[in-house]
């Protein structure tokens, strides 16, 4: 059970008791960090200013190594399979561009796949002669497992799975899809950008070959952080598309040796303060109890899915049978960007997901954009109701 008073006290955004609390519903974008994350980052930046970046980093080597251990505890992975990066996109691309491809190879992408992933797949297909194909969605909107089983063959080199899309509450059946892909020897790369930190992730149970995630969303870490998980035995066989003196060692005039674990997907230069902040965010989540946090997110999203449809003119646009903490909706005759901006005037933060971010899914559903509300566990029911009332005031029925 979460202590809501403690949660709120830990967030600097709620320090000003003289004004109404902001209603923050954008943890799917960049969440509000707990104080320990802010203090960790700022304290290290101050230390760098005192003694220089190299000495400051040397003082925190054990803490930097512990970041991977904390992430491993969260997702049930050996730390040797974790590589730290500056974003989920970087992590996804670092793995994807390391997969050998040639003419005739097939890349399968989810129907709700993210634009960055699809663009990278199309670029490599253009360069190598590989082919990109979309996995159909079933009647609920999630991956059609029967269709996937009919698509896979020995030419499929990679199946790109999106765990929870950016534009709505869908959660895809990853473990089931992975089993189908592995039957033909295809690798599975899971985009967990919107799932790590808000729903349970167990890489061993999911059996994915690689997973990419960010720090700034549901983990509530700093921007400019992310991580890549690679099955350790697979990581030892792959050569990343880019290397430096951290991911490999220069052993002779014409020779180099790759780092034996997932560290080969890292570069030497990085934001030390941000990575320490990521570690603080993951440890804070582990201290709260991930199951407690996941339940809090689910309860808040469920409250919105129950109350928003009661507002005349509002349509919840979520699909699938399992739902994440992202609630997408539209308001009749009010563009999503206008909904976002008018709510912002009342210190209510939501965002808009546009068609270009998830082109296949949004096009198939005839949507150009949706409003996205993503309440973390620290948001109160009173704040959720304040948000719903504000949306109701924008609806055509209220205006008439």
């Amino acid at each position: 059970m979460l202590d809501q008073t403690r949660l709120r006290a830990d967030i600097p955004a709620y320090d000003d008791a003289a004004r109404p609390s902001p209603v923050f519903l954008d943890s799917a974008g960049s969440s509000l960090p707990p104080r320990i994350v802010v203090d960790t980052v700022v304290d290290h930046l101050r230390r760098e200013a005192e003694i220089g970046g190299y000495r400051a980093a040397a003082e925190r080597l054990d803490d930097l190594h512990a970041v991977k251990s904390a992430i491993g505890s969260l997702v049930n992975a050996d730390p040797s399979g974790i590589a730290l990066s500056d974003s989920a996109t970087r992590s996804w691309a670092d793995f994807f561009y390391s997969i050998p491809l040639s003419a005739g190879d097939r890349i399968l992408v989810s129907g709700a796949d993210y634009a960055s992933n699809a663009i990278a797949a199309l670029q490599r297909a253009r360069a190598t002669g590989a082919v990109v194909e979309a996995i159909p969605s079933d009647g609920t909107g999630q991956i059609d497992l029967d269709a996937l089983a009919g698509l896979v063959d020995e030419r499929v080199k990679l199946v790109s799975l999106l765990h929870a899309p950016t534009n709505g509450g869908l959660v895809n059946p990853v473990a089931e899809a992975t089993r189908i892909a592995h039957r033909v020897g295809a690798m599975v790369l899971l985009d967990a950008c919107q799932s790590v930190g808000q729903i349970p992730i167990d890489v061993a149970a999911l059996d994915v070959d690689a997973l990419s995630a960010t720090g700034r969303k549901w983990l509530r870490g700093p921007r400019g952080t992310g991580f890549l998980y690679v099955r350790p035995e697979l990581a030892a066989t792959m050569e990343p598309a880019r290397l430096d003196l951290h991911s490999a060692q220069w052993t002779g005039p014409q020779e180099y040796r790759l780092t034996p674990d997932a560290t080969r997907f890292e570069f030497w230069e990085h934001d030390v303060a941000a990575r320490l902040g990521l570690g603080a965010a993951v440890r804070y989540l582990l201290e709260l109890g991930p199951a407690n946090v996941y339940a809090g997110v689910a309860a808040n999203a469920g409250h919105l899915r129950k109350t928003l449809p009661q507002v005349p003119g509002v349509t919840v646009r979520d699909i699938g049978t399992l739902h994440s903490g992202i609630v997408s909706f539209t308001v009749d005759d009010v563009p999503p960007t206008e909904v976002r901006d008018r709510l912002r005037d009342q210190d209510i933060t939501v965002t808009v997901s546009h068609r270009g971010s998830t082109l296949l899914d949004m096009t198939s559903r005839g949507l150009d954009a949706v409003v996205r509300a993503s309440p973390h566990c620290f948001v109160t029911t009173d704040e959720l109701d304040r948000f719903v009332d504000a949306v109701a005031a924008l609806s055509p029925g209220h205006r008439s």
Side-chain angles (χ1 to χ4, degrees):
M1 188 75 175
L2 292 172
D3 181 345
Q4 198 73 13
T5 301
R6 180 242 170 129
L7 281 176
R8 306 279 288 190
D10 285 345
I11 300 174
Y14 301 127
D15 281 348
D16 188 355
R19 70 180 182 92
S21 295
V23 180
F24 187 83
L25 305 175
D26 193 23
S27 286
S30 186
S31 192
L32 298 181
R35 198 178 311 276
I36 186 61
V37 171
V38 178
D39 290 347
T40 297
V41 172
V42 172
D43 288 349
H44 189 76
L45 291 176
R46 289 198 176 108
R47 189 59 174 158
E48 287 185 342
E50 293 169 352
I51 64 172
Y54 281 18
R55 279 185 60 191
E59 290 178 345
R60 304 299 298 274
L61 287 179
D62 289 344
D63 295 325
L64 286 167
H65 292 150
V67 177
K68 293 185 182 182
S69 297
I71 293 170
S73 295
L74 181 65
V75 302
N76 191 26
D78 191 287
S80 66
I82 303 293
L84 302 178
S85 73
D86 61 11
S87 67
T89 298
R90 178 82 64 186
S91 297
W92 193 96
D94 283 348
F95 182 86
F96 174 70
Y97 281 90
S98 302
I99 298 172
L101 291 174
S102 57
D105 288 342
R106 300 170 66 205
I107 304 166
L108 304 185
V109 300
S110 308
D113 223 330
Y114 190 57
S116 294
N117 304 348
I119 290 169
L122 292 170
Q123 182 193 41
R124 289 207 69 200
R126 183 177 296 176
T128 63
V131 179
V132 179
E133 302 171 52
I135 305 167
S137 300
D138 66 17
T140 73
Q142 69 181 24
I143 288 171
D144 188 325
L145 296 173
D146 290 335
L148 174 61
L151 275 176
V152 296
D153 61 21
E154 69 281 354
R155 294 181 297 126
V156 176
K157 301 303 178 184
L158 177 76
V159 176
S160 171
L161 297 179
L162 195 75
H163 201 182
T166 188
N167 66 325
L170 167 70
V171 177
N172 270 314
V174 172
E176 296 86 344
T178 298
R179 283 195 290 271
I180 293 170
H182 283 170
R183 290 174 193 163
V184 297
M187 285 192 283
V188 174
L189 172 54
L190 178 64
D191 182 337
C193 186
Q194 287 290 6
S195 54
V196 170
Q198 67 134 327
I199 57 179
I201 301 286
D202 182 329
V203 294
L206 295 176
D207 198 28
V208 295
D209 298 289
L211 173 152
S212 60
T214 186
R216 64 180 158 86
K217 297 181 185 293
W218 301 95
L219 286 176
R220 302 173 62 197
R223 293 198 70 173
T225 59
F227 70 88
L228 171 69
Y229 159 77
V230 185
R231 282 195 296 108
E233 62 273 24
L234 177 61
T237 70
M238 299 187 73
E239 179 154 339
R242 298 166 298 178
L243 299 171
D244 76 347
L245 78 173
H246 178 74
S247 47
Q249 294 79 48
W250 193 12
T251 57
Q254 301 294 322
E255 297 173 349
Y256 61 89
R257 182 175 63 251
L258 288 162
T259 303
D261 60 15
T263 304
R264 64 180 59 188
F265 287 95
E266 297 177 350
F267 268 23
W268 183 83
E269 181 56 34
H270 60 274
D271 187 335
V272 175
R275 287 194 179 175
L276 292 171
L278 174 62
V282 176
R283 286 191 297 274
Y284 182 80
L285 172 57
L286 292 171
E287 179 186 340
L288 291 176
N292 294 328
V293 172
Y294 305 153
V297 172
N300 280 344
H303 183 79
L304 292 186
R305 289 194 181 93
K306 177 181 177 181
T307 54
L308 277 173
Q310 298 173 19
V311 178
V314 172
T315 303
V316 172
R317 298 293 184 174
D318 294 339
I319 55 177
T321 58
L322 296 176
H323 292 132
S324 74
I326 299 173
V327 181
S328 60
F329 67 96
T330 55
V331 180
D332 290 350
D333 302 323
V334 186
T337 52
E338 182 179 340
V339 173
R340 176 200 63 198
D341 294 345
R342 291 173 66 181
L343 291 174
R344 183 184 298 160
D345 292 341
Q346 302 174 60
D347 208 4
I348 300 171
T349 302
V350 296
T351 193
V352 172
S353 186
H354 296 277
R355 187 169 68 95
S357 294
T358 48
L359 182 70
L360 299 179
D361 174 59
M362 296 280 271
T363 300
S364 70
R365 293 196 280 152
L367 296 170
D368 288 324
V370 294
V371 186
R372 187 181 72 183
S374 48
H376 215 298
C377 63
F378 55 77
V379 180
T380 66
T381 301
D382 286 346
E383 289 170 350
L384 296 176
D385 290 339
R386 178 180 152 199
F387 159 69
V388 173
D389 289 344
V391 172
L394 302 176
S395 69
H398 184 275
R399 292 199 307 270
S400 63

